[in-house]
Amino acid sequence: MSNNAVSLYLDPQIRDWVLFPITLVMILVGILRHYVVLLLQSPPKELSRAALREQRALARSQILRATAANSPIPTPFYTSISQHLSDAFAAGTYLKDGPPKGDSPSTPPNPISDPAAMDGMMSGMKTQMVMMVPQMIIMGWINFFFQGFVLIKLPFPLTLGFKSMLQRGIETPDMDVRWVSSLSWYFLNFFGLNGLYRLILGDGNSADSSRDMTTSPFAGGAPAAANPVQDYNKLFKAEKDNLEFSEGLHNWVGNDVENRVLRKYGKLAPAY
């Protein structure tokens, strides 16, 4: 900016009828969006008995392996349980859709045919629409009524690299970079109100539109999308190999417990 440039003086009505309304509208739209997303989210569907049995069998095997080195189960019982699970995993007993037919390779599950996955995708698309539609309306409202308005001057110096970001819609190369246009004020509020939303609505709110811009509408905001479709047939085969390996690591915590108790209370000479 040239040294003899004339300073700008803003009409106070711009502050009262442009700056404050834009900020207030964006805050209220974000709060409204949070509650609309809560209303659109459907409760998670209950798993079927077969699907729950499939998950619990895998979890039971993992717990059995995790405690193998210091197991509360005696060796004969541990071996019996481990072999029973290994045989069931090999035969596909716990699979939700039953054992695989013949020697044909199992096809990976299709998320499109899974109702839970489809519900997650639809929930993500609805969340994206709730984000996009209000922001498009607000941007159109600002462009139609307040295009070319200068709203505020920042109280700290900035380099010329911020000029294109802070003065969108104003083609004045000699204007001080600290002046902010109406459209740039919209983007500053769009990306900068998340802290205020956390203060009003708490963490994990749905008012932050900038966060949803980086996510895919098919990612799904529903809890069903947090559990991706897994091929339990492959998981069971891998778990069978892990169980066979953990049998060699098994150690019962009750081994030689009577001698350990006697040594603890001085009734038996310590072992060296």
Side-chain angles (χ1 to χ4, degrees):
M1 184 174 181
S2 59
N3 295 331
N4 57 354
V6 180
S7 299
L8 296 179
Y9 297 94
L10 296 182
D11 190 338
Q13 292 187 359
I14 294 180
R15 174 197 61 197
D16 299 336
W17 297 101
V18 182
L19 178 66
F20 289 164
I22 290 176
T23 306
L24 183 61
V25 165
M26 294 203 65
I27 294 174
L28 294 179
V29 167
I31 296 175
L32 179 63
R33 176 178 180 269
H34 168 73
Y35 289 106
V36 170
V37 170
L38 292 181
L39 291 175
L40 292 178
Q41 287 181 351
S42 57
K45 293 185 177 180
E46 296 184 359
L47 292 175
S48 63
R49 183 175 182 181
L52 190 63
R53 179 169 175 256
E54 186 180 54
Q55 294 182 0
R56 294 295 183 267
L58 185 63
R60 181 186 179 191
S61 175
Q62 292 172 348
I63 294 174
L64 187 69
R65 288 192 297 105
T67 59
N70 199 19
S71 177
I73 305 175
T75 302
F77 297 101
Y78 180 92
T79 304
S80 176
I81 297 173
S82 178
Q83 290 179 354
H84 171 74
L85 289 175
S86 297
D87 296 340
F89 290 159
T93 306
Y94 293 116
L95 289 176
K96 177 177 60 177
D97 299 327
K101 299 178 181 179
D103 297 332
S104 59
S106 60
T107 58
N110 186 4
I112 303 300
S113 61
D114 188 3
M118 287 298 297
D119 289 342
M121 293 180 185
M122 291 301 298
S123 177
M125 294 179 64
K126 289 186 290 186
T127 303
Q128 290 288 326
M129 290 299 298
V130 173
M131 182 273 293
M132 292 172 57
V133 173
Q135 299 304 332
M136 292 172 61
I137 295 175
I138 293 176
M139 185 179 294
W141 169 60
I142 294 175
N143 279 330
F144 185 79
F145 289 101
F146 309 122
Q147 185 177 11
F149 276 60
V150 177
L151 304 186
I152 192 174
K153 185 177 183 180
L154 300 179
F156 45 86
L158 294 171
T159 62
L160 289 176
F162 290 91
K163 188 175 182 64
S164 60
M165 182 180 69
L166 297 179
Q167 296 177 5
R168 290 176 179 267
I170 301 178
E171 301 297 336
T172 51
D174 293 334
M175 181 181 291
D176 190 349
V177 69
R178 292 181 294 172
W179 290 104
V180 182
S181 67
S182 58
L183 189 58
S184 296
W185 183 249
Y186 160 78
F187 284 108
L188 290 177
N189 283 273
F190 181 79
F191 291 103
L193 287 176
N194 191 27
L196 181 62
Y197 291 145
R198 284 201 302 266
L199 184 64
I200 298 175
L201 303 172
D203 294 332
N205 61 79
S206 302
D208 183 16
S209 300
S210 61
R211 176 187 56 201
D212 293 331
M213 290 179 65
T214 60
T215 61
S216 169
F218 301 102
N227 300 321
V229 180
Q230 296 177 327
D231 188 355
Y232 276 91
N233 189 25
K234 294 181 179 179
L235 293 177
F236 284 161
K237 290 180 179 179
E239 191 64 25
K240 173 181 176 296
D241 298 335
N242 294 332
L243 282 174
E244 294 175 354
F245 176 75
S246 64
E247 289 182 10
L249 304 176
H250 178 262
N251 180 38
W252 181 39
V253 294
N255 283 335
D256 200 27
V257 64
E258 62 278 3
N259 292 332
R260 282 184 283 157
V261 172
L262 291 175
R263 291 192 188 97
K264 180 177 179 181
Y265 292 99
K267 303 300 182 181
L268 189 67
Y272 295 103

